[in-house]
Amino acid sequence: NTMQKKDLIEQIAQRTGIDKLTVRHVIEDFMAVVQENMVKGNGVYLRGFGSFVLKKRKAKVGRNVRQRTSMVIPACYVPAFKPNKKFVEKVKQTG
């Protein structure tokens, strides 16, 4: 099962008693702040949960199979999530 944003909004609204529209705005603003900071090169650390970090991918040679050519794919940064150790342990126990 995969939880979607609407499911997250519903669960938070039920737990907190805050209306769904307000919860939706908070979640969307949270995502925007995380994205804006990562675009600026900043990580986002949430104690007890994990960190949104930037990982550097090395340059590599890729292949265009149709044209049978090679090309260099330049190094770049990609966003990643690194969960807190306790979070990882909880997930391991459920599997």
Side-chain angles (χ1 to χ4, degrees):
N1 293 340
T2 301
M3 178 178 267
Q4 296 180 351
K5 184 168 65 170
K6 66 179 181 166
D7 303 319
L8 184 63
I9 291 167
E10 177 123 1
Q11 284 189 18
I12 292 172
Q14 287 176 353
R15 285 183 178 204
T16 63
I18 299 171
D19 65 282
K20 290 181 188 179
L21 184 61
T22 302
V23 173
R24 189 183 95 215
H25 287 304
V26 170
I27 289 173
E28 289 174 352
D29 285 343
F30 168 78
M31 293 186 304
V33 168
V34 170
Q35 288 177 12
E36 288 166 8
N37 276 279
M38 293 193 78
V39 166
K40 292 176 186 175
N42 302 325
V44 178
Y45 172 71
L46 302 172
R47 174 173 263 151
F49 187 68
S51 301
F52 294 92
V53 295
L54 295 172
K55 289 190 175 185
K56 186 170 185 175
R57 283 196 183 158
K58 295 180 181 179
K60 62 183 178 179
V61 176
R63 296 229 179 261
N64 184 330
V65 178
R66 288 186 182 170
Q67 295 180 357
R68 296 183 181 171
T69 58
S70 301
M71 63 177 140
V72 175
I73 300 170
C76 64
Y77 286 96
V78 293
F81 177 72
K82 183 178 178 185
N84 164 291
K85 288 181 184 181
K86 290 180 183 178
F87 182 11
V88 172
E89 290 303 317
K90 285 181 181 180
V91 172
K92 283 182 181 180
Q93 291 173 6
T94 62

